[in-house]
Amino acid sequence: MTPSLRLAVVQPPCVALDVAANARLHAEAVWLAAARVVVFPELSLTGYELAAPDVDPTDVRLAPIVAACASTGSVVLAGAPVDGANAVLAIDGGGARLRGRVDDGLDLPVGADRVDRRRAQDLVAAAAEERVTRTGGLEADVRAGHV
């Protein structure tokens, strides 16, 4: 029998343009969710501000989320502006990595061609149902057709 995978989708309260405060709120949610994968909305790390400055995946303000993931074994998918694009960061106990970006409201996995919203939803569902892979650190790698 395949082991189950607990997935949590969280919409935390956010503080506009305050990555440090939002990272603490995200970390609290990771602790409360007690899930293997915790998914947050796009731009949640910057308080849903469209004109927010970029967040570097190595930003020390993300440390509370990294620490929560290290303690719980969780993987977080959270939204933030990266390199001028609305992006998805994968965060685990080893740090944060850019995993994808959003363009014109459609999910664009890194290195993939444009996919429609339904296909993007299918990819997220497949990630939740199938597996989280381990390659060095924990990594949720969502690419067109691959999880």
Side-chain angles (χ1 to χ4, degrees):
M1 182 161 112
T2 305
S4 64
L5 173 67
R6 185 169 178 169
L7 172 74
V9 178
V10 180
Q11 174 122 22
C14 292
V15 181
L17 302 172
D18 191 339
V19 173
N22 293 326
R24 288 190 299 275
L25 291 165
H26 281 53
E28 289 175 22
V30 170
W31 282 101
L32 292 172
R36 182 72 177 89
V37 179
V38 184
V39 180
F40 294 91
E42 64 183 356
L43 296 176
S44 61
L45 288 170
T46 55
Y48 311 111
E49 294 294 327
L50 296 175
D54 284 349
V55 175
D56 188 292
T58 63
D59 193 317
V60 297
R61 296 175 294 178
L62 301 177
I65 303 171
V66 173
C69 290
S71 294
T72 62
S74 298
V75 174
V76 164
L77 299 175
V82 177
D83 295 330
N86 185 356
V88 176
L89 297 177
I91 307 170
D92 63 19
R97 289 166 301 288
L98 176 64
R99 298 316 303 160
R101 62 187 178 279
V102 178
D103 178 61
D104 298 329
L106 300 175
D107 290 347
L108 284 175
V110 172
D113 292 329
R114 188 179 191 121
V115 293
D116 64 36
R117 181 166 298 284
R118 179 71 184 149
R119 177 68 178 134
Q121 291 170 342
D122 291 344
L123 290 172
V124 171
E129 292 172 9
E130 291 186 23
R131 61 190 172 277
V132 173
T133 60
R134 181 181 284 278
T135 55
L138 295 173
E139 191 171 325
D141 186 7
V142 180
R143 295 172 288 167
H146 296 50
V147 178

